[in-house]
Amino acid sequence: MANPYRELLAVPGARTFVAAGFVGRMSMSMVGIAIVLLVSAVTGSYGIAGAVSATLSLAYAAGAPLSARFADRYGQRRVLVPLALANAASFATLIVFALLGLPTWTLFPMAAMAGLTQPSLGAWVRARWKYALREGPARLHTAFSFESVVDETIFVCGPMIVTAVATGVHPAAGLGAAAAFTLAGCLALAAQHGTEPPPVPKAAGGSASVLRNPAVLVMAPVFLMLGAVFGAIDVSGIAFAEEKGHTAFAGLLLGCYALGSGSAALWYGARHWRSPLGRRFRIGLLLLAAGLVPPLLITNLYLMMFVVFFSGLAISPTIIPGYGLVEQAVPGHQLTEGLALVSTTVGLGVALGASTAGRIVDAYGAHAAFLLPLGAALVSAAIGLAGTRKISKHELSSLPPSG
């Protein structure tokens, strides 16, 4: 039996842009932790560190769709090179300001600049897959599944790398490493001309905002709530391990959740699906919510690791068709922007879920905090079930049989 992933990576140019994308977006799981470790070390305040990190996240949410829009209009290379250089300069300045002990307020504009210039590289890579597979679009779900595996791998490895570097080398080294990953990956991706989607000028593509697209209007709040699920699970899981006296196992607990999602992504991408994307997405949302009930009933840490693995199985089979719906509904000249916009809502949701879960942990304990991801998943399912049925059949149902 043919291996669909081996066939996917045999596409000309795929291996190199996948590798560049992996390196370039490694920082998405590192930057927040790196800023907290650096700023808290030089200021002695986790409150300030969290505020600086939140500033970067908000600026990223505003800037990533804009840079993606420019990439659709002018081409990835023309946008990515100056963007990557500006991002590296912003992070370098932030590090220098922190180490020199300049007034605290100076850290915030530099964090904002770093966020504004941080590309949503996963969206850029998915746009390349769409272009590379234009002769065989049925394989696109395999490509998006593979990218979900890459994302999960990044979120397992990145936090461990940045923590080890920042605590073992220097507090600034973690942020420096994250910035270096972004710069190297972006420049490597920009150098690959053969797989770059051709730019579509504004006059040729039209001027309607991607925010008016029905699929984006539905997916943005759904992915926001899914991000809240992930952020809340992270904080609740760490607090649960700490309450059980095994803080060192917190990373392993969260890794089990990510491992479940990555395993499901490999299975999902290897199958040829005949059911419509919209139906798969709705089923995924319901399964994801159902999978968050068992953690509420578990009090043993080791059993919790087993349970959250199965809770994570529904993540990728929900995220992947969600991206697929955006890819089907958003015009080609706005694809990178649409994917970036949906991706950034996940980041905002993570920040929202993590901060809210932290308050619940402080007030009621870790076990009560597991109610938050379940509640966010139920809201996400409600929006998704109602919203996807209202999107036109042309956008959700006119799909290739295997897509």
Side-chain angles (χ1 to χ4, degrees), residues 204-286:
S207 58
S209 170
V210 73
L211 286 170
R212 298 176 61 182
N213 187 283
V216 174
L217 287 173
V218 171
M219 292 301 153
V222 169
F223 274 59
L224 177 72
M225 288 294 99
L226 290 178
V229 170
F230 307 148
I233 282 287
D234 285 350
V235 173
S236 303
I238 292 170
F240 182 82
E242 183 177 355
E243 285 185 2
K244 298 303 176 183
H246 296 287
T247 305
F249 287 174
L252 182 58
L253 176 62
L254 300 181
C256 289
Y257 192 59
L259 182 62
S261 177
S263 301
L266 286 172
W267 168 80
Y268 182 92
R271 292 197 58 182
H272 292 282
W273 297 90
R274 296 188 177 276
S275 58
L277 276 175
R279 183 185 304 165
R280 277 180 265 156
F281 181 65
R282 290 189 289 271
I283 292 173
L285 287 171
L286 293 173

Side-chain angles (χ1 to χ4, degrees), residues 162-186:
V162 71
T163 303
V165 172
T167 58
V169 180
H170 190 278
L175 190 55
F181 275 125
T182 299
L183 179 63
C186 287

Side-chain angles (χ1 to χ4, degrees), residues 30-300:
M30 299 171 65
V31 167
I33 300 172
I35 288 179
V36 169
L37 292 172
L38 172 59
V39 176
S40 64
V42 299
T43 66
S45 171
Y46 279 96
I48 294 174
V52 174
S53 179
T55 299
L56 183 141
S57 297
L58 291 173
Y60 167 72
L66 184 61
S67 61
R69 179 188 301 177
F70 290 145
D72 284 330
R73 188 174 301 173
Y74 302 110
Q76 291 191 3
R77 181 177 58 86
R78 289 182 62 186
V79 177
L80 203 52
V81 172
L83 193 70
L85 296 176
N87 182 255
S90 299
F91 274 122
T93 306
L94 175 60
I95 292 172
V96 170
F97 281 10
L99 295 180
L100 290 178
L102 296 185
T104 301
W105 68 264
T106 62
L107 303 179
F108 289 91
M110 296 319 305
M113 284 299 301
L116 285 170
T117 54
Q118 184 89 3
S120 179
L121 215 57
W124 300 52
V125 172
R126 285 175 171 86
R128 288 202 178 221
W129 276 120
K130 174 70 182 294
Y131 178 67
L133 299 175
R134 60 193 181 278
E135 302 298 333
R139 290 188 291 172
L140 197 59
H141 84 284
T142 304
F144 282 8
S145 300
F146 178 78
E147 290 303 317
S148 289
V149 175
V150 172
D151 286 340
E152 297 299 343
T153 303
I154 287 170
F155 276 101
V156 170
C157 299
M160 293 189 292
I161 294 172
V162 71
T163 303
V165 172
T167 58
V169 180
H170 190 278
L175 190 55
F181 275 125
T182 299
L183 179 63
C186 287
L187 294 181
L189 189 65
Q192 299 170 45
H193 307 291
T195 56
E196 180 181 3
V200 179
K202 182 177 180 180
S207 58
S209 170
V210 73
L211 286 170
R212 298 176 61 182
N213 187 283
V216 174
L217 287 173
V218 171
M219 292 301 153
V222 169
F223 274 59
L224 177 72
M225 288 294 99
L226 290 178
V229 170
F230 307 148
I233 282 287
D234 285 350
V235 173
S236 303
I238 292 170
F240 182 82
E242 183 177 355
E243 285 185 2
K244 298 303 176 183
H246 296 287
T247 305
F249 287 174
L252 182 58
L253 176 62
L254 300 181
C256 289
Y257 192 59
L259 182 62
S261 177
S263 301
L266 286 172
W267 168 80
Y268 182 92
R271 292 197 58 182
H272 292 282
W273 297 90
R274 296 188 177 276
S275 58
L277 276 175
R279 183 185 304 165
R280 277 180 265 156
F281 181 65
R282 290 189 289 271
I283 292 173
L285 287 171
L286 293 173
L287 291 176
L288 192 149
L292 292 170
V293 174
L296 291 169
L297 310 175
I298 303 300
T299 57
N300 180 275

Side-chain angles (χ1 to χ4, degrees), residues 297-386:
L297 310 175
I298 303 300
T299 57
N300 180 275
L301 177 62
Y302 302 104
L303 183 57
M304 182 68 84
M305 291 180 186
F306 177 78
V307 167
V308 298
F309 172 84
F310 288 96
S311 297
L313 289 175
I315 296 174
S316 289
T318 304
I319 295 288
I320 295 164
Y323 277 124
L325 293 176
V326 175
E327 179 271 324
Q328 290 286 341
V330 173
H333 68 278
Q334 294 179 317
L335 180 59
T336 310
E337 181 185 0
L339 291 173
L341 182 63
V342 171
S343 295
T344 55
T345 60
V346 175
L348 287 176
V350 168
L352 174 65
S355 61
T356 306
R359 293 176 181 271
I360 296 175
V361 169
D362 290 340
Y364 304 104
H367 222 84
F370 279 108
L371 284 168
L372 180 60
L374 174 59
L378 290 172
V379 173
S380 179
I383 298 172
L385 265 62

